[in-house]
Amino acid sequence: MPWPLLLLLCGSCGVFEFHPYELRGGDRDRHARSLERLRRDTREGAFRFAVIGDMQLFLDESAAAVRDIQRRDVAFVVQLGDLTEYGSAKEYEWAAGLLEELPVPYFAVIGNHDVLGTGADIYRRTFGPTFLSFDYAGSRFVLYDSNSREYGFPGNVPDLEALREALTPEPGLTHLFTFSHVPPGHGDFDATLSQPLEALQAERGVSVSFHAHIHRFDSNERQGVRYFVADSLENRNYLLVSVQGESVQVERVFY
Amino acid sequence: MAAGWHSRAFLVAALLLVSTAALSEPSREGPPWYVPDHATFQFAGSIGLFSGGPGWSFLDESVEAGLLLGWAPPLVAGEDFLTLTLKGQLHPFRLEWEGWSVRPLTVGMLFSYTFGDAYFVRLPDRYEDGYYWFKTGLRPALLLGAGAGRPVPALGLRLLEGYFELVATDYRIIHFLQDPGTVETGLFSLALGVRFRF
C-alpha cells in the first residue's frame, strides 16, 4: 500500500490542523520573552532599531528583510501589523517563525488582517496584549491597536486613555515612539479620534509615530510630530531608526 | 458567541441523521440516488477534530460527494468550532489485491462553512465592497489522497476503507504560490478517515 509511505513523508509538515482559526500549539507570549531579553540589554546612549511593514502575502520578502536586519546592529525590531492575510493560525506560525530568526528581540503590532476570524485571540496567544509599552535606553515605545473599522468604529479603538497614560512624561525619558497599523487620518482609523490622537502626540512630544497599512512609504509632519508609514515588504524595504541623544534619524533601507 | 449558530447546527445534524437513517430502509429496486451509500468519519483536515456524515457515489464509485459535519472542541482547538463541509472526490483508479480494494489516488476539493458570528460569508456592513477578497466563513480547499479497504460482512459492510488526505486550504495554496521558500511542506495538512460502504 502506498499511503503509509506518504504518511511517513508527511511527518514533518505540521501534519494536523483542526480548524484554520484554531488556538493550539505554537510558541506563546513572544512579547514577554522579548521584554525579558531587552531587560538584560542594559546598553545606554546611542542605539538603533528596525521597523518593518506589512508582511501578509510577502513572507519570502519578509524572510529576506530578516536576513538583512541580521547583518545590522539593531537593538530590536518592531513589525507594524498585518503579519497575516487571513488571520489564520498557520499564517501566524509562519510569520512568527520568520521573526524568530531575528537575533534580537522583536515586537509586532496587530493589523486589520490579523484580527479576522479568531485572529485577535491568536495574536494575544502568540505575542501578548495588543497594547504594549516598554522602555529602552531612555526612550519609551508604545504599540497599540488602531484597526477601528474591524470593530465597527466603537469609539475606543485606538485606546486614547491608555495612550495618554503611557505617554505621561517621566524624568529620564528622552524620546517617545508610537506604533500602530492604520495611520490616523486614514478611512479605517476612527475619524473622531484622529485629531485627538494627533493632538495628544503633539502635546506629549512624541518623536516619531510609525504606521503601515497603505503599502506605500510616506512621511510627513503634523503638529510638530513626525509620522512615518512603512512600505509593505513586497517592495523590499524597511525603516532603520538611529537614536543618538536628542537626534532621531529614520532611513529607508532597501535590500 | 450567539446561540443562533448552535440551533442551526443542530438542525443540520438532524438532517444528516435523517438522511443516514434512510439507509436502513430496504428497497427492492435499489435505493434512489439521494439515499447515501456510504458514511465517512474523519480526523483533522481543517474541518474539525472529528467530522462525519453521509456520502453518495456515482459512476461505479469513481466519483463521490460527501457532506460532513465537523466539530473541534475548545479543549483541543481553543475554541468551539463547528463546520459543515461539502466534499467532492475523484478516484480514477481501483486495484483489487488479495481481498483488498486499493484506491491509490484521490483528488478532490471541498468547501467548508464555519458557523458563528466571528466569520463572514458576506462582508459585514462596516466594510466597503471588496475590502476583503476572501470569506473567512467559507473555505475552499484542494485534496490529494489515497485509501484502501476490505469487506467486513460481519458488520454488514461491503467495504470498510481507511484513507488519508493531504488538505491544501486556500490560504496555504496562495501562500505556497507567493512564498514557496517560507511555506515549503506547509502547503498541506493531513486528514485521516474511515469510510463505511453499505
Side-chain angles (χ1 to χ4, degrees):
Chain A
M1 281 183 295
W3 63 273
L5 287 176
L6 274 169
L7 245 173
L8 283 176
L9 282 175
C10 193
S12 61
C13 62
V15 193
F16 295 117
E17 181 172 76
F18 301 139
H19 192 275
Y21 290 115
E22 67 188 6
L23 297 133
R24 187 172 72 92
D27 230 349
R28 303 179 68 163
D29 301 323
R30 287 159 192 261
H31 282 171
R33 221 167 50 220
S34 285
L35 289 175
E36 190 49 47
R37 287 176 67 190
L38 215 51
R39 261 193 288 276
R40 288 198 296 270
D41 174 359
T42 51
R43 176 173 8 190
E44 280 176 31
F47 67 96
R48 301 204 292 181
F49 63 96
V51 180
I52 62 179
D54 301 54
M55 288 165 65
Q56 280 167 278
L57 292 174
F58 328 120
L59 296 182
D60 281 1
E61 290 83 358
S62 305
V66 165
R67 283 193 295 276
D68 195 78
I69 293 170
Q70 279 168 354
R71 299 189 289 108
R72 296 173 191 273
D73 177 32
V74 297
F76 60 89
V77 177
V78 180
Q79 195 277 339
L80 289 167
D82 279 3
L83 295 144
T84 70
E85 177 76 6
Y86 301 80
S88 69
K90 193 67 194 177
E91 293 176 279
Y92 267 104
E93 191 186 313
W94 286 326
L98 285 181
L99 296 175
E100 193 65 33
E101 297 293 312
L102 287 165
V104 293
Y106 58 86
F107 302 91
V109 166
I110 192 164
N112 58 304
H113 281 261
D114 304 324
V115 173
L116 295 172
T118 63
D121 292 328
I122 306 177
Y123 172 93
R124 282 187 283 268
R125 187 183 160 87
T126 310
F127 295 101
T130 56
F131 189 95
L132 176 69
S133 166
F134 64 90
D135 294 352
Y136 178 78
S139 291
R140 176 159 296 170
F141 304 83
V142 185
L143 282 62
Y144 63 96
D145 182 349
S146 66
N147 307 299
S148 322
R149 183 182 297 279
E150 291 306 312
Y151 314 102
F153 302 105
N156 60 358
V157 178
D159 186 346
L160 291 195
E161 284 315 302
L163 261 175
R164 188 180 305 279
E165 202 181 313
L167 298 177
T168 303
E170 263 179 48
L173 273 185
T174 315
H175 293 288
L176 300 171
F177 298 96
T178 58
F179 307 82
S180 87
H181 183 64
V182 179
H186 188 279
D188 297 333
F189 192 106
D190 195 325
T192 63
L193 297 180
S194 278
Q195 261 311 103
L197 174 98
E198 289 177 17
L200 172 66
Q201 301 213 104
E203 178 200 320
R204 294 293 156 90
V206 167
S207 295
V208 186
S209 182
F210 292 98
H211 308 277
H213 189 56
I214 57 178
H215 292 211
R216 200 177 55 246
F217 172 80
D218 191 21
S219 88
N220 54 60
E221 196 171 314
R222 304 177 211 168
Q223 302 179 43
V225 176
R226 283 195 284 166
Y227 286 78
F228 277 86
V229 177
D231 222 334
S232 72
L233 290 185
E234 177 183 25
N235 301 323
R236 297 180 71 95
N237 68 94
Y238 62 90
L239 304 177
L240 192 61
V241 187
S242 308
V243 182
Q244 190 163 24
E246 291 292 316
S247 138
V248 176
Q249 288 191 10
V250 182
E251 61 172 308
R252 274 175 100 184
V253 176
F254 287 82
Y255 56 92
Chain B
M1 213 166 284
W5 71 268
H6 275 112
S7 49
R8 262 180 289 160
F10 279 125
L11 189 67
V12 169
L15 283 172
L16 291 184
L17 273 176
V18 167
S19 65
T20 316
L23 284 169
S24 52
E25 291 169 23
S27 158
R28 267 166 294 173
E29 294 161 352
W33 68 270
Y34 53 82
V35 175
D37 53 30
H38 65 271
T40 304
F41 185 77
Q42 182 175 300
F43 171 77
S46 276
I47 60 171
L49 174 67
F50 297 114
S51 54
W56 297 263
S57 302
F58 309 95
L59 304 176
D60 197 22
E61 295 184 353
S62 62
V63 177
E64 283 179 340
L67 207 52
L68 294 109
L69 189 65
W71 180 57
L75 196 63
V76 293
E79 174 76 74
D80 202 353
F81 294 106
L82 199 65
T83 66
L84 184 65
T85 302
L86 182 65
K87 197 195 269 193
Q89 289 171 305
L90 203 66
H91 317 274
F93 314 108
R94 180 159 59 190
L95 314 168
E96 303 294 336
W97 177 70
E98 295 194 0
W100 286 87
S101 176
V102 181
R103 305 218 261 190
L105 176 68
T106 297
V107 292
M109 81 174 296
L110 62 77
F111 287 92
S112 182
Y113 171 77
T114 301
F115 293 89
D117 300 335
Y119 320 98
F120 62 81
V121 173
R122 250 193 48 208
L123 264 184
D125 293 340
R126 59 179 179 274
Y127 304 110
E128 306 150 31
D129 286 350
Y131 191 89
Y132 290 117
W133 56 277
F134 49 85
K135 306 167 193 312
T136 56
L138 190 64
R139 186 118 274 151
L142 296 178
L143 312 169
L144 188 66
R150 53 188 305 149
V152 185
L155 296 174
L157 294 175
R158 204 160 44 71
L159 214 55
L160 176 64
E161 261 182 337
Y163 68 86
F164 82 88
E165 270 170 11
L166 299 175
V167 183
T169 44
D170 53 352
Y171 50 91
R172 288 175 186 255
I173 296 170
I174 283 157
H175 272 285
F176 181 75
L177 296 175
Q178 288 269 38
D179 308 301
T182 304
V183 173
E184 297 179 335
T185 54
L187 171 60
F188 297 114
S189 78
L190 181 64
L192 300 174
V194 184
R195 214 175 273 127
F196 307 89
R197 293 185 187 280
F198 312 110

